[in-house]
Amino acid sequence: MKIVIANDSHFKYAEIICETIAESAKVRGTGIAKRTPEYIQKRLHNGNAIIALDGDKFAGFCYIEVWGHEKFVANSGLIVHPDYRNQGLAKQIKKEIFALSRSKFPNAKIFGITTGLAVMKMNYELGYKPVTFSELTTDPEFWKGCQTCKNFDILTRTEQKMCLCTGMLYDPETKAKETKSEPKEKLNSKAFQRLKSIKESLFLNKKTK
């Protein structure tokens, strides 16, 4: 298995990357921003993506999006092909895309929004912290990406303040101020699950009324 920084030679995988992301969203029943092969190829060309390959077979992927004149970056589209799931590959890809983000954009805040507890756990272990949407980028182009999500009406109803997703942020300036002697708290998965359940009850019940 090779996990490498993607480039133009990986253009041929753009279609299967998009298909895998879309199929995963259907299986999980969660909203996800749809991407075109052309959109993915632009990230490959810029060296803003990590791809995992088993020989020539596609295994996994994640890419970087840049917002607010490089003040914010997001690690998006984390996906593992069904043939390679439950092997810890997603965590390896997440670590590599995080390292690439820190290398290319050392002063940027790294953020993400997700409904997946597994992704929240990976983010937390890398130093992300849960935040309100107001602490994330205000770049309208980022939020336009949510329009293809089935829960976009919730984001609209709350004036972009809240949705079923949880916002998480890695702030390099804050991390630099933290001392190494400070014990890192363990992730409270039950608290995240409870928050997710409350959001679903609140927003989805309103939607059906």
Side-chain angles (χ1 to χ4, degrees), residues 7-193:
N7 54 50
D8 290 6
S9 70
H10 300 113
F11 275 17
K12 61 184 178 181
Y13 297 104
E15 189 71 43
I16 191 173
I17 288 170
C18 292
E19 291 173 359
T20 306
I21 290 174
E23 287 302 314
S24 177
K26 289 180 182 178
V27 171
R28 293 178 304 183
T30 58
I32 195 166
K34 293 180 181 178
R35 299 304 185 199
T36 64
E38 292 74 22
Y39 185 94
I40 295 298
Q41 286 176 349
K42 185 174 181 180
R43 273 67 200 168
L44 300 176
H45 176 71
N46 292 339
N48 285 346
I50 292 291
I51 191 168
L53 299 171
D54 181 8
D56 291 329
K57 188 175 180 181
F58 170 71
F61 181 76
C62 192
Y63 63 92
I64 299 170
E65 293 180 301
V66 183
W67 307 103
H69 305 289
E70 298 188 2
K71 291 181 179 179
F72 290 89
V73 299
N75 297 161
S76 303
L78 177 61
I79 191 68
V80 172
H81 190 277
D83 293 347
Y84 297 93
R85 289 175 186 163
N86 302 313
Q87 299 177 27
L89 183 57
K91 192 171 185 177
Q92 294 179 57
I93 295 172
K94 184 69 178 180
K95 287 182 177 179
E96 292 296 331
I97 197 70
F98 180 78
L100 180 62
S101 300
R102 294 286 294 123
S103 174
K104 295 192 71 172
F105 309 100
N107 299 316
K109 294 179 180 180
I110 306 174
F111 75 98
I113 58 174
T114 182
T115 58
L117 290 176
V119 175
M120 290 181 198
K121 183 177 180 181
M122 285 189 281
N123 285 346
Y124 188 82
E125 291 174 350
L126 289 169
Y128 289 67
K129 292 183 178 180
V131 295
T132 61
F133 281 10
S134 64
E135 296 178 66
L136 307 179
T137 179
T138 56
D139 194 319
E141 288 302 312
F142 171 78
W143 299 102
K144 278 184 181 180
C146 294
Q147 290 179 353
T148 54
C149 172
K150 68 177 184 179
N151 299 316
F152 183 66
D153 67 304
I154 298 174
L155 190 66
T156 303
R157 291 204 315 263
T158 62
E159 298 180 343
Q160 205 172 290
K161 294 177 181 178
M162 194 178 294
C163 197
L164 295 186
C165 282
T166 295
M168 299 191 76
L169 180 74
Y170 176 93
D171 185 342
E173 185 175 338
T174 300
K175 292 299 292 183
K177 294 178 181 178
E178 294 178 353
T179 63
K180 294 182 180 180
S181 59
E182 288 180 332
K184 183 175 175 61
E185 296 179 2
K186 291 184 178 180
L187 175 70
N188 190 336
S189 297
K190 290 184 178 180
F192 276 118
Q193 183 62 61

